[in-house]
């Protein structure tokens, strides 16, 4: 057992030492983001496995040090008791960094917009009560006028454009406030929002450049209801395009934590069937896609509405998100596979009419009615 620093020079010495020993596979434990430098450096020369730290825990009562952890990891790997975690190839990693950074920028911009709304509320300016998006063309012009010193509610309300002109009377009431020392903070916040918007656009342009080799995959995923070009880019960045890493759609759903866990002992199921915590970036885009699909007149839309009525919207989001993930697996796994929507009437076409009639008759008989069925002319 030898100890090496994580500096590049030391990692190169580690690589030479392992190669001199005839090592073919390197197994390492995932520790936050600190696994990346040694993994990326060693993956070119060895079969490198990244394993879940929870799978290599020491047995209770055993001493634990970094050296003993390395020995234990080696023993568990020798006995084939580990499975490698999914680490995408370099092109997908670059794309993943861009899509994740874009999500973080959008989150930061949303937080800044909320600060602006809070500042206007502090100044007794009720613009957000009347206008659905205060950062539209009219809203930005009104806020610019406030910063410039305009205080007349009627003048500010007359800046409304388009359909907002019908809300002029309410806008006059909304601008009757106490906007005095808020101009500096509002100017700073709006500048920050504009800077974040520019950064988001720049990252989006670079993402589109990196997506050129995967243009066909993006187009295929874009056919799924609820999935757009941006969502398709995020899905590819998180799961890649090589589905051999996930032998079946069930493996992919389980990895993404879109499949309920099963815990059973002595014939009794334990727990509430929760899915656990998976890839939050993938979960976010699948959740949004499921909600968007629920508004469409498609098979996925009908599936969402059926489950939402019976079991609630949260379970419907997970179920439809899993369906989208299964469809994505099939489209990425075989380039000859074509997406075909089953239609909103798929469930009705699969219903056994005789059984449905019997159920309705039983319900009416339970209410005390005598039922006679007669075929319509």
């Amino acid at each position: 057992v030898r100890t090496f620093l994580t500096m590049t020079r030391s990692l190169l010495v580690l690589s030479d030492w392992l190669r001199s020993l005839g090592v073919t596979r390197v197994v390492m434990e995932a520790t936050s983001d600190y696994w990346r430098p040694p993994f990326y450096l060693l993956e070119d020369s060895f079969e490198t496995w990244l394993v879940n730290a929870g799978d290599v825990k020491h047995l209770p009562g055993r001493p634990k040090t970094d050296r003993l952890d390395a020995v234990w990891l080696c023993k568990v790997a020798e006995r084939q008791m580990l499975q490698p975690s999914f680490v995408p190839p370099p092109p997908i990693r670059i794309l993943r960094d861009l899509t994740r950074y874009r999500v973080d920028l959008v989150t930061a911009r949303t937080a800044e917009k909320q600060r602006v709304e809070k500042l206007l509320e502090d100044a007794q300016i009720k613009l957000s009560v009347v206008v659905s998006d205060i950062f539209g063309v009219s809203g930005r012009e009104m806020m610019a006028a406030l910063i410039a010193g305009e205080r007349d509610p009627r003048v500010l309300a007359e800046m409304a454009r388009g359909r907002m002109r019908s809300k002029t009377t309410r806008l006059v009431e909304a601008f009757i406030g106490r906007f005095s020392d808020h101009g500096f903070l509002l100017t700073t916040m709006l500048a920050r929002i504009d800077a974040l918007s520019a950064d988001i656009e720049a990252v989006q342009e670079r993402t589109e450049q990196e997506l050129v080799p995967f243009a066909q995959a993006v187009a295929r995923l874009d056919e799924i209801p609820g999935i757009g070009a941006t969502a398709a880019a995020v899905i590819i960045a998180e799961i890649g395009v090589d589905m051999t890493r996930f032998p079946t759609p069930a493996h992919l759903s389980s990895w993404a934590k879109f499949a309920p866990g099963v815990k059973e002992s002595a014939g009794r199921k334990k727990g509430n069937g929760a899915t656990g915590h998976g890839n939050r970036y993938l979960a976010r885009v699948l959740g949004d896609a499921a909600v968007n699909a629920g508004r469409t007149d498609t098979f996925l839309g009908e599936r969402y509405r059926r489950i939402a009525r019976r079991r609630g919207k949260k379970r419907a989001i997970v179920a439809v998100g899993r369906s989208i993930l299964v469809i994505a697996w099939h489209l990425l796994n075989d380039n000859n596979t074509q997406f075909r929507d089953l239609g909103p009437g798929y469930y009705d076409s699969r219903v056994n009419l005789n059984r449905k009639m019997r159920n309705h008759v039983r319900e009416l008989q339970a209410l005390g009615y005598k039922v006679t069925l007669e075929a319509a002319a």
Side-chain angles (χ1 to χ4, degrees), residues 12 15 19 32 45 50-51 59 89 105 110 113 219 230 240 246 261 287 302 311 320 369:
L12 291 174
S15 179
R19 194 179 297 108
S32 184
S45 303
L50 180 73
V51 298
L59 295 176
L105 287 175
T110 302
K113 287 183 177 181
T230 302
F246 306 102
E302 182 62 22
R311 308 198 66 184
V320 175
Y369 293 94

Side-chain angles (χ1 to χ4, degrees), residues 249-263:
H251 283 82
L252 177 59
S253 301
S254 178
W255 173 82
K257 294 294 188 291
F258 265 75
V262 178
K263 298 178 181 178

